[in-house]
Structures are given as C-alpha cells and as structure tokens.
Amino acid sequence: NPVIPELWSVPHLLPIHPGKFWCFCRMVYMPMAYIYGKKFVGPITPTILALRDELYNKPYSEINWNMARSSCAKEDLVYPPSRMQNIVLACLHKFVEPMLSWWPFNKLRKSALSSLMDHIHYEDENSNYVGLCPINKVLNMICCWIEDPNSYAFKRHLPRIHDFLWISEDGMKAKVYVGCQSWETSLIAQAFCSTKLAKEFAPVLRKAHGFLKAAQVTQNFPTYNSYYRERSKGAWTLSNGENGWPIADTTAEAIKALLLLSKYSPSLVGDPIEEQRLYDAVDCLLSYVNKDGTLSSAECKRTTPWVELC
C-alpha cells in the first residue's frame, strides 16, 4: 500500500499529519515513505534472487502485486483495516500515486523527500545512529545508503548494527530495542534497598548508582519542536541514555531508585545525584501528563481518538 511522503507536507493542524503520530509509528513511517517515494530498486544480485526464492511461496515473476497489496495472513491480521481505510488506500494507489509522478506534481514529491531526509538525519545524529528501535534504525540506514552509499551517515550506521545482535544457543538473534539497562538497573537497585542488604551489596549498588547518574539525559535536543520531538532534559531512556529517547516509566523508576540510594552513606553507594538533576527529571516526567490527566509513555497525545476510526 502507498506510504506517500507528501503526507508530511499537509498543514500541521490536520490530525492526520505524521508529526502527530506516536513516535514509534512516526519514526518507521519516515524512512518507509522515503524509500517508497524514491521508488528505489537496488541491483539484482545472486543474493537478492536467492532471497526471493526463500521468501515467497511462488515464483517472484508470477506474483500479482496488486492483489498482494492487501493480502495478509490471518495470524498477523490483528487489527483489520476499516472500509474507509481500504477506500483511501485504493484511491492513493490507483489515482494519487500515478499523478504525483507527473510534472508539476512531482515537484511536491521532491520537496517532501528532501524534508524527510532532513528529519532522518536529525534522528540519526541525535540518537548516535542507534535510532528509536531496530526497525527505524535499519530503514534509516537504507535511506542513507540510497542517498549516498559512501556518505558519512551510512558509515556511522554500519557499526551500530551490532548493538542489536546477539548469539544464543540456537543462533543469531535481534533485539527489539537497543537495551533496557536503565529500566532494569533502577528496579534492581530498588529491590536491593527493599531487602535492607545495602551494606552486603554496597559495591553493586555503587556501580548501579554511578550508571544511573551517567545515563540521565541532561540536555534537550536542538530545535526539537521543529522535528516533532518533546523535551528530554532530565529523563532516562529505556537503555543507557545514548539514543536520547525519554521514557516516562523508566524516568519514574530511576527517580525512585536514586531517592532510595540517597538515604545511604556516600561511602557505601557513592555521592547522591545533584538536586537540580532530580528537579529536571520531575519536570520532564510532569511534561508527559496529558490534558485528560493520563500519563504517556514516550510522548504526549497529539491527535484525537476519532482518527482510529479511519
């Protein structure tokens, strides 16, 4: 189905603007829209031909791609698309997408792709090329390769692939996130404190304390509002702080762990965190409270519930 990049060019006031999508959806939509809009096709190598044989249950040349556009295994169809969504996607596929390849409409595509690549580079640079998750990380890497296979951005992407891979008993696995170090360390520290065994495990708690202080995000990203991001100063990410994406749950647990550790002697667990940094953490946590009183996990609500009906 079409993933049109021009959707990023609609007025931001509209509830369907991708800037109002939840971060995981938005960050995956960006590179997918770029790749789709580019209509990029890589070189057909023996590896590509082998993958086609492996992935599809019929010869690649015999696949009806128009029919395949809406086909999905029953096990994977968790939330069937609505009738309105099917109508919109069909119109985009049959009428809008062909029209956008003609002059002067193709100028809209060129502008949209340029804007998307700017957003992709912003995400890469501010997440140290780890990304929000492995899906957008790999897709962003492909976009950088499409733009320039010899670019600095693509070269920075390559070594960060290993952050998501690990070897288990039955072969290589890929993680669904770069890690959950801050989350687990906060809960482990709280568990130790609740057992009143801090003295027995002082070296462990000292390391945990040091890690949590080092993992806090201490600055907001530059011009973050222009890239549909929210404040991050004072927050903790799910991992080690490197990708810069604040998570409300992790921030709350880290605050609790640090407050518990502050009750112990610095000679046991190390010096407590600076008060201002705790104030920043609370401010950041409160910024994720929505107008209806609910607390978001990664970003505040940005659009209306009726969008789901579409």
Side-chain angles (χ1 to χ4, degrees):
N1 281 312
V3 188
I4 58 171
E6 287 77 13
L7 195 59
W8 286 86
S9 302
V10 303
H12 188 259
L13 294 174
L14 295 180
I16 60 170
H17 190 285
K20 297 189 175 183
F21 293 173
W22 189 45
C23 56
F24 283 94
C25 180
R26 183 175 74 252
M27 286 296 135
V28 172
Y29 187 99
M30 277 198 315
M32 287 185 68
Y34 182 84
I35 296 169
Y36 178 88
K38 273 286 189 179
K39 296 293 188 290
F40 181 81
V41 178
I44 307 302
T45 64
T47 302
I48 295 296
L49 295 175
L51 283 170
R52 288 179 177 180
D53 289 338
E54 179 181 340
L55 292 172
Y56 301 102
N57 59 1
K58 61 166 62 176
Y60 187 84
S61 59
E62 296 178 11
I63 297 174
N64 184 332
W65 291 106
N66 191 47
M67 294 294 293
R69 186 170 56 85
S70 57
S71 63
C72 185
K74 292 180 180 179
E75 297 83 1
D76 295 331
L77 196 60
V78 179
Y79 197 90
S82 65
R83 178 174 295 180
M84 183 183 297
Q85 188 177 357
N86 285 329
I87 292 173
V88 169
L89 290 173
C91 290
L92 287 173
H93 177 66
K94 292 182 178 295
F95 305 111
V96 178
E97 181 59 27
M99 183 184 68
L100 288 170
S101 63
W102 304 336
W103 186 89
F105 303 108
N106 57 3
K107 292 185 178 294
L108 290 174
R109 171 138 303 178
K110 185 177 180 180
S111 174
L113 291 175
S114 176
S115 176
L116 274 177
M117 206 63 219
D118 181 44
H119 280 73
I120 289 169
H121 285 314
Y122 182 88
E123 159 68 358
D124 289 342
E125 291 165 7
N126 288 287
S127 68
N128 290 291
Y129 294 85
V130 174
L132 174 60
C133 64
I135 302 171
N136 88 304
K137 185 265 185 299
V138 172
L139 289 173
N140 283 9
M141 182 174 68
I142 293 173
C143 292
C144 292
W145 183 74
I146 292 172
E147 185 185 42
D148 181 4
N150 298 311
S151 67
Y152 174 77
F154 179 66
K155 292 175 181 177
R156 285 289 305 276
H157 262 294
L158 287 175
R160 301 315 304 257
I161 294 174
H162 302 284
D163 289 66
F164 296 95
L165 302 178
W166 57 285
I167 303 295
S168 69
E169 296 83 354
D170 57 345
M172 183 177 288
K173 306 289 185 181
K175 295 184 288 187
V176 297
Y177 204 80
V178 71
C180 50
Q181 299 95 316
S182 292
W183 171 258
E184 291 187 347
T185 302
S186 299
L187 296 178
I188 290 169
Q190 291 178 44
F192 275 125
C193 292
S194 67
T195 60
K196 302 187 185 302
L197 295 174
K199 291 184 179 180
E200 287 80 352
F201 294 98
V204 174
L205 287 176
R206 178 182 284 271
K207 289 181 179 180
H209 198 184
F211 171 78
L212 289 176
K213 288 186 288 185
Q216 186 183 22
V217 180
T218 57
Q219 296 292 333
N220 288 318
F221 293 125
T223 61
Y224 62 92
N225 287 324
S226 301
Y227 292 88
Y228 314 112
R229 297 287 292 272
E230 297 182 13
R231 70 164 285 168
S232 53
K233 183 180 180 180
W236 274 267
T237 70
L238 192 61
S239 56
N240 60 3
E242 194 176 21
N243 74 350
W245 277 94
I247 302 295
D249 315 50
T250 312
T251 301
E253 298 296 350
I255 293 172
K256 185 176 180 181
L258 289 167
L259 289 174
L260 289 171
L261 290 168
S262 69
K263 296 179 179 180
Y264 295 97
S265 169
S267 62
L268 283 177
V269 298
D271 295 329
I273 192 170
E274 299 170 14
E275 286 188 15
Q276 184 58 50
R277 290 175 63 179
L278 282 177
Y279 296 152
D280 291 339
V282 174
D283 286 343
C284 188
L285 190 60
L286 291 175
S287 73
Y288 286 93
V289 178
N290 298 301
K291 293 180 180 179
D292 58 4
T294 58
L295 182 72
S296 294
S297 59
E299 289 179 333
C300 290
K301 292 181 180 179
R302 299 183 175 187
T303 189
T304 56
W306 65 261
V307 172
E308 293 187 19
L309 298 175
C310 299

